[in-house]
Amino acid sequence: MAESPAITAPRDGVLGTVSDVLYRRPTLLLLLLLTPPLLWLGIIYLGSLFALLAQSFFSIDEFSGVIQYRLTLKTYGELLAPANLDIIVRTTLMAGSVTVAAAIVAFPIAYYAARYARGKWKALFYLGVMLPLWSSYLVKVYAWKLILAKEGILNWVFENLHLTWLLDAYLSIPVIGGNSLSVSYSGTFLVFLYVWLPFMVLPMQAALERVPVSYLEASADLGASPLQTFSKVLFPLAMPGVIAGSIFTFSLTLGDYIIPQIVGSSRLFIGQAVYSHQGTAGNIPLAAAFAVVPVIIMGFYLWMAKRQGAFDAL
Amino acid sequence: MRSDKTLRSPLPLKIAAGAGLLFMHVPILLIFIYAFTTEDKTYQWPPPGYTLKWLGVTWNRPDVWEALNLSVRVAAISTLVALVLGTLCAAAVSRTRFFGREAISLIVILPIALPGIITGIALRSAFNIAEIPFSFWTIVLGHATFCVVVVYNNALARFRRTSASLIEASMDLGANGFQTFRYVILPNIGTALLAGGMLAFALSFDEVIVTTFTAGQQATLPIWMLEELVRPRQRPVTNVVAMVVFIVTFLPILAAYYLTRGGDQVAGHGK
Amino acid sequence: MKTAVHFEKVSRHFGDVKAVDSVDLTIGEGEFFAMLGPSGSGKTTCLRLIAGFDQPTFGDVSIFGESTNGIPPYRRNVNTVFQDYALFPHLSVADNVAYGLMIRKVAKQERRRVADEALEQVQLAGYGARKPSQLSGGQRQRVALARALVNKPRVLLLDEPLGALDLKLREEMQEELKNLQRTLGITFVFVTHDQGEALSMADRVAVFNEGRIMQVGTPQDVYHRPNSEFVANFVGSSNVLPSELVNELTGKSVPASLRPEAVKIVDEGGFEAEIVDISFLGAATRLSLKIDGMRLHALVDGTKAALEFRQKVRVDWDAEDLHLMYDNNG
């Protein structure tokens, strides 16, 4: 047998040569891989965000309505006007309550799926959460318009159960009530909860999957009641999942402008304020400043979440 | 190993979990019922009768076809762009540790982690400043930006599951970088890319918030629906369109699930 | 003997970590060479430098006299059996084996023939159509071996090739690998953290620690004549006697190693010791002994006299079993 050479000559033409060069310079390969996505995201996305941020430091001339391209904090000052502060507080409260409610509703689903569902049921649960998560946002909102309509299914159910009085009593509660569910905060809240709920279930389930059953058994073995096991063992271990999920429910609620526009009272949320200021009012600086608010709130929220180790569950 | 005695669930938990699932699914079922109602002025429940008439009416609506056409084209191109960018990014992040790796993940995730309205208005103001007129391409620009993360998540999960030694083994056996990509990497990440692409398509097809800011006068199907939601004019047609939109997004999601089943889960928190 | 692989002052740094620190090494053609060391000692990195998966920060690795500087793995006539086997999950067993030939554009029929032949050689004839996932660990290992060998490499690299197998299978494979190496005459370089494996299979062993080679030699060399405390401990867990004691015994102030099996229980003379631990190992009994506050391990015939915990015994050893470690850098 003739001995083959230990090192073979370059081959496969240009591609082979390019491949050889990339082997010698792994950094070059990395650069080639990263350049297109970074150019796209860096220029288009970050550039836009920067443009937005820059706009918020401009102001609008009250008389002419023309944007003045001079750096000023005047626009941010306007944010502090009582009407605008109202909007910010209202939106944050809504986002907070939607998040808490989503965590409560999601827990049994996530826990059941993580601990008890097996085989076919497990797949069914997973799909049962995945499909609503990914399916059309607008269609989901539309479904609630159908449900909450005066002649819709919800009123029909209450009527047939002879419970209309209960609904009326609920609607007469100030703040959360209103003329009907479809023009009340409760309605807005329900739709938000519905639309973002799957975003809470999945990370929660992922976190719960990682809690070995033996921990719970150990807790019970050491004399803890089920409630104590929940509060001392299960809940703390599920917390990273809850925080990961809450990032979505919180952020998505903060920035949404379609749900409160379609189901809700006429009082504005941050998203609607941004939308109307940039649209009909033409006050881009104020719209931009408003848009920065959820970024700041989210930034603070993410910072807190990171400190809690929530990102490991993502 | 979980012992059998733990498999029996407490009844309240079962009920709460079941109720939660019902809460997530019943509203969607309603869409299907309303698409066939004979009532055309209100959202009356229960429907007084059922008819297939509105399917035909919707079929003959040029504005719906136009919107559908635009949506499909936007989603297709955005998905393509997202596939390329997301895969490149995932490949870079998965195969090496380098300075700024975390920052890249952050930039990719940011467009969906931040509320859509911010992405929307940011793009709009950038288009204004750069004096770019609204067009098909401005919509694609926006959509591709937030679709990248979906492909990225799916591809990254698969890259991480695919052992690095497979690539080394291929090179060890004489394949250069390109041959390795063709014969080993692509077959191994193919289904993940397909799944990511499907989800990106569904995401783009359905997107409305960013689109309102980047679309100008053109209407994608979700924009068409949004107008109907705000000012209802043709309720029966809207009902049918809602059903169609649901189905068009439902199918790729289901396909994506089956493509990635049994390994990495479809990156659900990617929307 | 021709030189197959040569390391010339090779270092590989990862940031501040010196994974391989100025290694000089020569592996001869046709040798069965083992790189032995604890995890993180640099042995796997050295293997990867030969394969070309990694490039040295300084120095040069040459294969049959040719520098590999900047030569990618696919241009090195060297093949690897991976620790996790790295079989392509999307290809059948036969296509896995034929992968290298496919890349070299060997005609399909010829490919089939060679692959079938190779599978037969590793006793897996008829398994070609299966997917790797349908094979057992031992079978996958054979496929990985066949896949590497069909390319007729000048050097075969094996990264912990038997690590994932259970004991019985491992012993079988050790024998098979030895036979295979003898018949093929190819240079085998294999990495292991199992000293027993290295000693029983290799012609020569390099003992690694913290990125450096502590000692290179035949299995007998490193076992009986360790040059440092590290080698003495790592290869067969020797007793290391401190230099003061050795000075008393021999007049030379260097540490010395003493194999546990060299320690004998005697009726008189020697040293008095107390048994502080005793474990029955089947063929032998391992004793932990206390002599003047010093610990000494002994391996004695298990069938001999009944020994008991806390029993006082006298121990001794032959002078030639005490190996003085002059080259103590550990």
Side-chain angles (χ1 to χ4, degrees), chain A residues 136-158:
Chain A
S136 172
Y137 161 83
L138 260 191
V139 172
K140 284 184 282 192
V141 178
Y142 186 64
W144 279 89
K145 198 176 163 88
L146 300 177
I147 292 170
L148 297 176
K150 258 202 160 42
E151 64 284 1
I153 188 170
L154 200 71
N155 280 324
W156 177 82
V157 167
F158 275 99

Side-chain angles (χ1 to χ4, degrees), chain C:
Chain C
M1 191 163 61
K2 254 206 277 183
T3 297
V5 179
H6 181 68
F7 279 61
E8 179 85 45
K9 294 239 173 310
V10 173
S11 295
R12 177 66 175 103
H13 300 174
F14 296 102
D16 290 336
V17 182
K18 294 177 176 169
V20 173
D21 189 9
S22 193
V23 161
D24 286 301
L25 177 65
T26 304
I27 300 171
E29 187 176 17
E31 245 189 319
F32 200 138
F33 193 88
M35 293 179 170
L36 174 68
S39 63
S41 61
K43 58 190 192 303
T44 301
T45 307
C46 279
L47 194 81
R48 294 170 58 81
L49 290 172
I50 305 174
F53 305 141
D54 217 331
Q55 300 177 69
T57 314
F58 304 110
D60 187 25
V61 177
S62 57
I63 303 173
F64 287 94
E66 288 190 71
S67 165
T68 60
N69 190 9
I71 305 289
Y74 50 85
R75 282 181 47 207
R76 301 180 184 199
N77 200 356
V78 163
N79 286 112
T80 308
V81 175
F82 289 82
Q83 184 173 17
D84 63 353
Y85 313 140
L87 299 180
F88 305 123
H90 60 290
L91 299 180
S92 69
V93 166
D95 285 344
N96 260 286
V97 174
Y99 187 86
L101 305 174
M102 186 266 292
I103 293 296
R104 263 180 276 128
K105 303 192 174 68
V106 173
K108 206 167 190 165
Q109 285 201 319
E110 172 70 3
R111 241 149 65 194
R112 268 223 83 91
R113 195 186 59 73
V114 176
D116 284 347
E117 218 176 82
L119 282 173
E120 209 167 306
Q121 198 179 11
V122 295
Q123 287 131 50
L124 282 176
Y127 283 80
R130 298 204 192 178
K131 282 280 165 72
S133 58
Q134 295 166 305
L135 301 182
S136 70
Q139 290 170 330
R140 281 180 214 187
Q141 223 255 334
R142 289 159 197 269
V143 176
L145 201 56
R147 182 178 71 174
L149 287 174
V150 291
N151 303 293
K152 301 198 164 55
R154 298 293 299 274
V155 180
L156 184 73
L157 307 173
L158 304 108
D159 185 7
E160 302 267 2
L162 310 175
L165 305 179
D166 57 48
L167 186 66
K168 203 164 152 13
L169 207 53
R170 194 153 61 208
E171 283 169 354
E172 253 175 62
M173 280 308 291
Q174 283 183 9
E175 221 165 288
E176 242 182 89
L177 278 178
K178 250 158 67 179
N179 283 334
L180 200 63
Q181 198 266 341
R182 242 175 265 137
T183 32
L184 295 172
I186 297 177
T187 312
F188 275 33
V189 179
F190 87 107
V191 157
T192 180
H193 65 269
D194 181 336
Q195 46 101 4
E197 203 169 284
L199 296 182
S200 69
M201 290 168 77
D203 297 330
R204 281 200 308 149
V205 180
V207 185
F208 280 76
N209 186 36
E210 292 177 345
R212 289 167 166 274
I213 292 181
M214 307 302 290
Q215 187 172 1
V216 186
T218 63
Q220 289 77 10
D221 276 344
V222 292
Y223 189 82
H224 292 299
R225 291 173 288 281
N227 65 355
S228 58
E229 194 172 333
F230 176 81
V231 176
N233 275 320
F234 192 78
V235 184
S237 55
S238 267
N239 296 298
V240 174
L241 307 184
S243 41
E244 302 83 60
L245 181 66
V246 179
N247 198 11
E248 280 175 36
L249 296 172
T250 66
K252 296 194 177 85
S253 184
V254 287
S257 75
L258 180 65
R259 289 285 149 198
E261 63 271 25
V263 179
K264 293 182 292 194
I265 308 260
V266 292
D267 296 331
E268 50 194 42
F271 307 84
E272 189 181 75
E274 184 190 357
I275 300 176
V276 291
D277 191 35
I278 181 163
S279 26
F280 178 63
L281 302 178
T285 300
R286 195 179 62 205
L287 302 175
S288 192
L289 302 159
K290 209 160 94 181
I291 306 175
D292 288 347
M294 190 184 80
R295 279 296 173 91
L296 199 68
H297 292 281
L299 212 55
V300 297
D301 190 339
T303 57
K304 241 182 171 176
L307 295 163
E308 274 170 40
F309 181 55
R310 292 280 177 224
Q311 189 184 336
K312 296 263 197 310
V313 290
R314 300 201 70 83
V315 296
D316 204 356
W317 52 81
D318 294 340
E320 72 251 30
D321 285 332
L322 196 65
H323 171 67
L324 304 180
M325 300 187 290
Y326 288 103
D327 183 17
N328 181 20
N329 48 4

